[in-house]
């Protein structure tokens, strides 16, 4: 798709801000951004690459906001950073050869499990119970970084939500988990972006302005999350995961 439309650009700028706001808090911004990019007529690979360009700009902004407010366990997540990066590179390479829709039923099941578990545990993520980086924490974190990094490069939507849930499982509260998730999400975005650039699968005329809008949305979203606290993040997390379930179910059944 080579043609350029000002009306489509304005549409993507608005969508980019909204997607980044949600993504900065609980992930799932791809749920909003990807359908909008596909609506423009891009191929799935170009839409994924363009989303990765804009998303990298947004996730980097929200990561910096959480860092500035001390809501990130730097020792843990920066150790896991290269694993998410490598996982994402592998995911992009595979998606150039295999249709990503093979993952849809698996992702749908995982989203349902995550949502039920979150709703069933009312105090989940309300308080931080994380104490130290044990061998178990590092091994679980390493597995999560590689697997979700790969998924982010391969398909993408919902990565931030899965990362957030993984950090809650390790004992962080919702705000800390959101901050930690942003670091690994930024790592996978960088890895994916560089690989999509290699495959020339990015529409820069739409991706760069959308990315600037995502910077604004990510800054606003991260600061709202930090100010509102864990209860707000948990509520939005449940809403986004239910929306992800609905979209994945629709795509799979239709």
């Amino acid at each position: 798709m080579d043609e350029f439309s000002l009306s489509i650009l304005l549409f993507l700028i608005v969508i980019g801000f909204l997607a980044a706001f949600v993504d900065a808090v609980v992930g799932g911004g791809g749920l909003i951004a990807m359908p909008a990019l596909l609506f423009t007529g891009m191929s799935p690979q170009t839409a994924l690459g363009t989303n990765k360009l804009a998303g990298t700009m947004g996730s980097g902004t929200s990561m910096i906001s959480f860092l500035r407010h001390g809501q990130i366990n730097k020792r843990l997540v920066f150790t896991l950073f290269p694993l998410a990066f490598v996982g994402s590179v592998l995911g992009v390479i595979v998606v150039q050869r295999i249709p990503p829709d093979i993952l849809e039923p698996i992702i749908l099941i995982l989203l349902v499990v995550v949502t039920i578990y979150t709703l069933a545990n009312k105090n989940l993520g309300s308080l931080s119970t994380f104490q130290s980086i044990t061998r178990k924490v590092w091994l679980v974190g390493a597995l999560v970084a590689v697997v979700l990094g790969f998924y982010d490069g391969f398909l993408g939507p919902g990565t931030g939500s899965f990362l957030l849930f993984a950090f809650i499982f390790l004992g962080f509260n919702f705000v800390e988990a959101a901050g930690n998730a942003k670091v690994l999400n930024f790592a996978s975005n960088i890895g994916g972006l560089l690989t999509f650039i290699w495959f020339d699968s990015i529409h820069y005329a739409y991706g760069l302005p959308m990315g600037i809008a995502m910077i604004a949305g990510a800054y606003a979203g991260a600061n709202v999350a930090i100010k509102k606290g864990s209860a707000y993040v948990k509520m939005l997390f449940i809403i986004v995961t239910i929306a992800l379930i609905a979209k994945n179910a629709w795509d799979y059944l239709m």
Side-chain angles (χ1 to χ4, degrees):
M1 175 186 170
D2 296 321
E3 63 271 19
F4 178 84
S5 166
L6 181 59
S7 59
I8 287 178
L9 175 62
L10 294 174
F11 167 70
L12 290 177
I13 286 173
V14 173
I15 291 296
F17 180 90
L18 178 61
F21 183 96
V22 172
D23 200 71
V25 184
V26 294
L31 171 70
I32 301 169
M34 275 301 295
L37 287 164
L38 289 169
F39 174 76
T40 67
M42 295 182 195
S43 69
Q45 284 79 11
T46 302
L48 284 166
T50 304
N51 182 53
K52 198 60 64 184
L53 170 62
T56 299
M57 296 167 72
S59 63
T61 302
S62 54
M63 179 187 72
I64 292 169
S65 295
F66 280 109
L67 268 172
R68 286 178 56 225
H69 288 86
Q71 298 292 341
I72 289 175
N73 187 303
K74 291 181 280 189
R75 185 179 165 212
L76 175 61
V77 293
F78 286 119
T79 303
L80 301 176
F81 192 98
L83 299 178
F85 178 95
V86 171
S88 182
V89 170
L90 294 174
V92 176
I93 291 172
V94 172
V95 81
Q96 302 295 321
R97 296 165 172 79
I98 301 174
D101 56 4
I102 62 170
L103 277 182
E104 286 179 358
I106 300 172
I107 299 306
L108 179 58
I109 292 169
L110 288 174
L111 284 168
V112 171
V113 171
V114 165
T115 304
I116 292 173
Y117 187 85
T118 304
L119 289 170
N121 293 269
K122 294 183 178 180
N123 294 322
L124 183 71
S126 299
L127 298 173
S128 178
T129 59
F130 181 82
Q131 295 180 342
S132 63
I133 304 173
T134 62
R135 182 188 178 100
K136 178 184 175 182
V137 167
W138 195 90
L139 288 174
V140 171
L143 180 64
V144 165
V146 172
V147 172
L148 290 181
F150 178 89
Y151 170 70
D152 194 27
F154 188 77
L155 187 58
T159 303
S161 300
F162 284 127
L163 283 170
L164 186 148
F165 183 79
F167 281 111
I168 289 170
F169 181 77
L170 291 176
F172 294 95
N173 64 38
F174 266 94
V175 175
E176 293 168 340
N180 290 331
K182 275 300 118 193
V183 177
L184 295 193
N185 207 179
F186 180 65
S188 64
N189 278 339
I190 287 287
L193 173 61
L194 292 175
T195 316
F196 276 117
I197 290 173
W198 176 265
F199 284 109
D200 194 25
S201 297
I202 297 175
H203 195 300
Y204 293 97
Y206 287 147
L208 287 172
M210 189 178 186
I212 293 171
M214 282 194 168
I215 288 175
Y219 179 80
N223 282 280
V224 168
I226 292 165
K227 290 177 182 177
K228 294 279 189 179
S230 292
Y232 169 79
V233 178
K234 183 176 183 177
M235 177 191 69
L236 193 57
F237 174 76
I238 291 170
I239 292 171
V240 169
T241 49
I242 289 173
L244 280 164
I245 289 169
K247 181 180 184 301
N248 278 271
W250 175 266
D251 291 344
Y252 182 63
L253 296 174
M254 296 297 113

